[in-house]
Amino acid sequence: MQKADEFIQALALEQHVEGGYYRSSFTSQSRFDDKRALWSSIYFLLRTGEVSHFHRLTADEMWYFHAGESLTIYMIAEDGELTTAQLGLDLAAGERPQFLVPKGCIFGSAMNQSGFSLVGCMVSPGFTFDDFELFSQESLLAEYPQHEEVIRRLSRPQD
């Protein structure tokens, strides 16, 4: 069985500002507009104790499970409803190998067990950091105090 460090090295993954490790894998040669490709894709890896902190994109993001342990994607909709999706291969347990996170929703993820989780994420239109918003605990707690437990787990205090 492969280990997280083997994937990090073999795929040349780097630390991501939202947590975990990533590397751009493919970008469409077709253009959506003058700033963005039609779509882009990354590898994303979490290890034990790491999370993808709550953030928001202006585009849809499709997640694909590749290897390791399953993970939970936590999503806060514009109306404040918190929902989750299980990304993995245990279909009988409700996991799915792919899941779409809709644009405009605040989301993050965390592993369900120790180990690592390697996923792919495809964004359309293509990702740019101009379309990325990372949230602090304070801003989320002020807006969604009913979700305090998960907000504290998937966000950092403001610097």
Side-chain angles (χ1 to χ4, degrees), residues 29-157:
Q29 296 303 305
S30 299
R31 304 300 301 172
F32 177 78
D33 59 24
D34 61 338
K35 295 181 182 180
R36 295 172 292 181
L38 185 59
W39 56 266
S40 61
S41 185
I42 65 167
Y43 293 115
F44 184 71
L45 184 140
L46 291 176
R47 300 180 300 182
T48 300
E50 298 173 338
V51 299
S52 166
H53 293 93
F54 275 125
H55 60 287
R56 177 169 45 206
L57 299 179
T58 61
D60 291 340
E61 183 170 44
M62 180 65 80
W63 286 56
Y64 302 93
F65 182 82
H66 291 311
E69 302 298 329
S70 61
L71 58 78
T72 300
I73 303 170
Y74 298 85
M75 297 160 285
I76 302 174
E78 291 181 25
D79 65 3
E81 179 184 9
L82 175 68
T83 58
T84 62
Q86 304 303 312
L87 193 68
L89 298 178
D90 188 348
L91 304 180
E95 296 175 2
R96 294 293 177 254
Q98 61 186 34
F99 184 79
L100 178 70
V101 176
K103 70 179 182 177
C105 125
I106 297 168
F107 68 103
S109 64
M111 293 178 44
N112 295 331
Q113 298 178 27
S114 296
F116 74 93
S117 182
L118 176 65
V119 303
C121 299
M122 195 275 298
V123 176
S124 180
F127 178 84
T128 70
F129 274 101
D130 291 340
D131 299 323
F132 173 86
E133 181 180 8
L134 188 64
F135 291 89
S136 69
Q137 279 183 2
E138 293 80 2
S139 66
L140 289 173
L141 287 171
E143 187 74 23
Y144 309 106
Q146 69 273 30
H147 306 310
E148 181 177 3
E149 183 180 335
V150 72
I151 287 171
R152 290 199 183 280
R153 183 174 177 213
L154 296 183
S155 60
R156 298 179 188 118

